[in-house]
Amino acid sequence: AVMMGTAPKIGRQRAHDVVYEACTKAIDGNLPLNDILRQDESLVAQVGEEKLRSLCDPCQYLGCCRQMIENVIKHE
């Protein structure tokens, strides 16, 4: 979501590189991805801190799980 959400502002390849590097740092340092992304002043200036926070929100990754759960419950 972060890569797709930032690409329109910073370009697809740069978005990929920035997110890849940030993910590596977040995993290695056991830190939230949003904290790492906010360290990139250029990224924050182009995308905005609120947008980055929104893109890193786990609720954005639920996709169609609600519908899948409802379908399972109906077939029980």
Side-chain angles (χ1 to χ4, degrees), residues 27-53:
I27 291 167
D28 290 346
N30 195 29
L31 298 166
L33 179 60
N34 188 43
D35 290 355
I36 302 299
L37 291 169
R38 286 189 336 216
Q39 293 174 4
D40 186 331
E41 293 176 9
S42 173
L43 180 66
V44 172
Q46 291 179 291
V47 176
E49 194 168 332
E50 187 61 35
K51 178 68 171 179
L52 287 175
R53 185 178 3 265

Side-chain angles (χ1 to χ4, degrees), residues 2-7 10-24 37 43:
V2 177
M3 186 170 32
M4 298 304 289
T6 58
I10 66 172
R12 184 175 173 205
Q13 186 60 51
R14 178 159 184 257
H16 176 273
D17 295 343
V18 166
V19 173
Y20 183 86
E21 183 178 331
C23 286
T24 300
L37 291 169
L43 180 66

Side-chain angles (χ1 to χ4, degrees), residues 4 10 26 31-32 41-42 44 47-48 50 54 59 64-66 68 70 72 76:
M4 298 304 289
I10 66 172
L31 298 166
E41 293 176 9
S42 173
V44 172
V47 176
E50 187 61 35
S54 172
C59 290
C64 61
C65 72
R66 174 178 225 128
M68 292 169 65
E70 290 174 5
V72 169
E76 293 265 335

